[in-house]
Amino acid sequence: MDYITVCGLEVHTELATKTKIFCNCTTEFGGEPNTHVCEICSGMPGTLPVVNKKVVEFAVRTGLALNCEITQYNKFDRKNYFYPDLPKAYQISQYDLPLCENGYLDIETGEGRKRVGITRIHIEEDAGKLIHQEGKGTLIDYNRCGVPLIEIVSEPDFRSAEEIKAYLQKLRATILYTGVSDCKMNEGSLRVDVNLSVRKKGEETLGTRTEMKNLNSFQFIARAVEYEFRRQVEALEAGEEIIQETRRFDQASGKTFSMRRKEDANDYRYFPDPDLPPIEVSPDLLRELQAQIPVLPDQ
């Protein structure tokens, strides 16, 4: 009871466009592996991306529903890292000029009403899917490559699994009302990364955080948060150092396991994507999208 949980969330939401973010391939879920793929989303040399306007509109609509400021001038950046499910060896994302900033969402728990800050919402492309086969190796399905995502990044405002659950339920309802995503967690349309650290009561300095990736059920998120909190407290009490790393939650055991050291922004060597022009959100488009926001859950 001497320690406090400090959590921030990164929520990845697939947008309900008919085609991918930079090409005309379908975003339909399922299908035979590697059939919803073309030269662009599979990262063939010499191909050029063209942004799907509907992706920008859906992202702005989400930002407006979450009380964000819309950045009228923003751009795409390359986030460089090698991983088998990312055929280009970089992901097109947004770094220092995201589309939406400084929003919030009000939640209700047994402790009362609380406002959770939303740092930013940015657009990016999804990666492929790895299928690990015991004793045989790993297969890759690139159907999901290039499916448009928004990443909704919260402030580290959560102090319990109950608050996280209340926020995610409210966030999911809001996104569903706006119509920009089906939010099907079982199909990967809504996935959550949890950044968690602990600190002693009365201290202001944040502890070293770990990140738990790709959690896709409220139950698993609550279990992962509770286990990781206990693990970090026990480590600190034993005089051990918490390592900044990415961890995997194992559903069967209810434990988290180390995957890799956590990268910082400079490890990704961000730079503006030279193949995509900046995005300008005009006042007229902003007014048009604002008019499309339906009555939201709070109202």
Side-chain angles (χ1 to χ4, degrees):
M1 298 302 292
D2 292 335
Y3 289 85
I4 295 172
T5 312
V6 180
C7 285
L9 302 184
E10 299 169 10
V11 178
H12 296 83
T13 307
E14 289 185 352
L15 298 177
T17 56
K18 293 187 183 299
T19 55
K20 293 184 180 181
I21 186 169
F22 299 121
C23 66
N24 285 326
C25 291
T26 179
T27 57
E28 186 180 350
F29 179 76
E32 289 296 311
N34 300 307
T35 55
H36 301 170
V37 181
C38 70
E39 296 88 342
I40 293 172
C41 56
S42 61
M44 295 294 178
T47 56
L48 289 172
V50 178
V51 69
N52 182 341
K53 184 184 177 186
K54 188 63 74 175
V55 171
V56 178
E57 292 178 355
F58 277 11
V60 170
R61 201 190 299 181
T62 307
L64 292 170
L66 296 175
N67 308 293
C68 291
E69 301 167 7
I70 307 303
T71 311
Q72 288 192 277
Y73 180 90
N74 53 89
K75 62 180 173 62
F76 287 105
D77 300 278
R78 290 190 182 181
K79 180 182 183 181
N80 297 274
Y81 64 97
F82 174 76
Y83 206 62
D85 61 4
L86 199 69
K88 296 196 291 277
Y90 64 85
Q91 180 189 38
I92 300 177
S93 182
Q94 292 188 299
Y95 178 46
D96 56 332
L97 290 175
L99 193 58
C100 315
E101 294 181 297
N102 303 322
Y104 64 87
L105 197 62
D106 292 328
I107 61 171
E108 295 273 357
T109 68
E111 300 293 315
R113 192 174 180 85
K114 180 172 182 175
R115 176 160 293 183
V116 175
I118 293 173
T119 312
R120 57 187 279 150
I121 303 173
H122 62 261
I123 302 169
E124 60 188 21
E125 59 182 338
D126 210 344
K129 182 179 181 181
L130 300 180
I131 301 104
H132 304 289
Q133 295 193 334
E134 191 70 36
K136 295 183 179 180
T138 299
L139 304 175
I140 308 176
D141 181 2
Y142 286 129
N143 280 352
R144 202 172 64 187
C145 266
V147 169
L149 291 176
I150 49 174
E151 182 174 338
I152 304 167
V153 182
S154 82
E155 292 289 312
D157 287 343
F158 301 100
R159 299 294 177 266
S160 68
E162 184 190 9
E163 289 182 357
I164 290 174
K165 184 178 180 181
Y167 170 82
L168 290 174
Q169 287 176 331
K170 181 77 167 290
L171 182 67
R172 183 176 182 272
T174 303
I175 293 170
L176 283 170
Y177 273 58
T178 61
V180 305
S181 175
D182 61 21
C183 293
K184 292 180 179 177
M185 299 182 83
N186 60 314
E187 294 183 1
S189 296
L190 190 73
R191 311 192 294 272
V192 183
D193 298 346
V194 180
N195 292 284
L196 184 148
S197 66
V198 300
R199 60 174 167 82
K200 282 197 168 182
K201 288 182 178 177
E203 293 183 357
E204 294 300 320
T205 306
L206 294 174
T208 302
R209 65 189 169 90
T210 59
E211 181 179 32
M212 293 173 285
K213 299 282 286 184
N214 291 330
L215 299 165
N216 65 351
S217 93
F218 295 145
Q219 181 187 5
F220 294 155
I221 291 163
R223 288 172 62 198
V225 166
E226 287 161 4
Y227 174 82
E228 184 62 14
F229 171 72
R230 288 197 307 273
R231 186 192 72 84
Q232 290 192 23
V233 169
E234 288 169 6
L236 291 171
E237 287 292 295
E240 299 171 16
E241 182 183 359
I242 303 297
I243 299 169
Q244 185 175 328
E245 62 185 352
T246 299
R247 298 181 68 86
R248 173 181 65 86
F249 175 69
D250 180 66
Q251 300 166 13
S253 66
K255 298 179 179 180
T256 64
F257 297 93
S258 179
M259 290 172 61
R260 60 181 182 272
R261 289 292 181 99
K262 173 66 179 166
E263 300 90 349
D264 287 314
N266 58 344
D267 296 318
Y268 292 122
R269 295 178 291 113
Y270 282 98
F271 63 87
D273 192 292
D275 294 334
L276 289 160
I279 301 168
E280 291 190 55
V281 182
S282 69
D284 287 344
L285 178 60
L286 207 54
R287 282 191 292 272
E288 179 186 329
L289 295 173
Q290 181 73 66
Q292 294 174 15
I293 302 295
V295 175
L296 295 174
D298 273 354
Q299 287 83 47

